[in-house]
Amino acid sequence: MAKVFIYPLNSLILADLVERFGHKPLTIMSQVREKVTSLSLDSPPINITPEDPKLGLKYAAIEVPAGVRGRMSLMGPLIEQAEAAIIVENPPTDFGCVGCNRTNELIKYLIRSKGVPVLEVKYPESDEEARDFVNKIAEFLKMLPEEKPEEEEKAGEKESSEEEGKE
């Protein structure tokens, strides 16, 4: 199972496709869920912790707008975990202020420069393009390595050590 970074980060369709092929999608929803359900947020209207701006500085300089650093504090750890990536070019959700746009450009730059396998596909505009879109993603996901879950590996190790003990 590979950890697959998807862009746009909130794409439910890409997340579902990645899961259907046995891999783990790295999405913004999981990061936000972790933030909301953790005990680190004392005041819900203030949705950052004192550590978040420091984490954002790891990815963007102090001169960069605070919104970029804030977004990168959520998205940066996902980029670090990524073992593969799927980037959709020109999705309709790709809009917003300059901070959002610069964050999107920074995310794509960081994931491309990481050296992991990256599939870049154009956002489909027709039914035919949508079929090609899904087929390309399916082929890419099938090529990614599948690992055994840790529990199966541990069970396999126990069995082999027990067999050695019997002999």
Side-chain angles (χ1 to χ4, degrees):
M1 176 175 69
K3 294 179 181 178
V4 181
F5 181 85
I6 59 173
Y7 179 86
L9 283 162
N10 59 354
S11 173
L12 295 174
I13 293 172
L14 286 177
D16 182 56
L17 276 171
V18 170
E19 280 185 348
R20 284 179 188 228
F21 285 91
H23 302 288
K24 181 181 179 187
L26 300 174
T27 62
I28 194 69
M29 290 81 82
S30 61
Q31 289 293 90
V32 171
R33 180 178 185 274
E34 186 176 314
K35 279 275 188 206
V36 172
T37 57
S38 72
L39 299 175
S40 62
L41 295 178
D42 294 333
S43 305
I46 301 172
N47 57 6
I48 65 170
T49 64
E51 296 301 316
D52 290 339
K54 295 176 194 169
L55 186 59
L57 282 172
K58 183 177 178 182
Y59 306 101
I62 190 78
E63 298 87 12
V64 172
V68 174
R69 291 193 311 272
R71 289 175 185 93
M72 289 309 297
S73 70
L74 285 175
M75 299 171 196
L78 294 176
I79 294 170
E80 289 180 4
Q81 294 176 34
E83 296 169 346
I86 299 171
I87 297 175
V88 177
E89 291 295 337
N90 300 325
T93 58
D94 215 4
F95 63 92
C97 63
V98 171
C100 291
N101 190 37
R102 294 294 179 233
T103 304
N104 293 336
E105 294 300 320
L106 180 60
I107 289 169
K108 288 188 269 187
Y109 170 75
L110 289 174
I111 199 71
R112 287 175 183 141
S113 61
K114 187 172 181 188
V116 296
V118 177
L119 173 69
E120 296 191 39
V121 290
K122 184 181 157 233
Y123 185 82
E125 301 286 333
S126 67
D127 289 347
E128 185 66 30
E129 288 179 2
R131 281 188 208 97
D132 290 343
F133 176 83
V134 172
N135 288 334
K136 285 179 185 175
I137 291 172
E139 288 175 24
F140 178 73
L141 292 172
K142 285 177 185 174
M143 292 183 341
L144 295 177
E146 294 181 23
E147 295 177 15
K148 294 180 184 175
E150 290 181 22
E151 294 174 6
E152 287 183 21
E153 289 179 8
K154 288 179 184 176
E157 290 174 7
K158 282 184 181 178
E159 289 176 8
S160 65
S161 65
E162 288 175 1
E163 289 176 8
E164 290 175 6
K166 290 179 182 176
E167 293 176 6

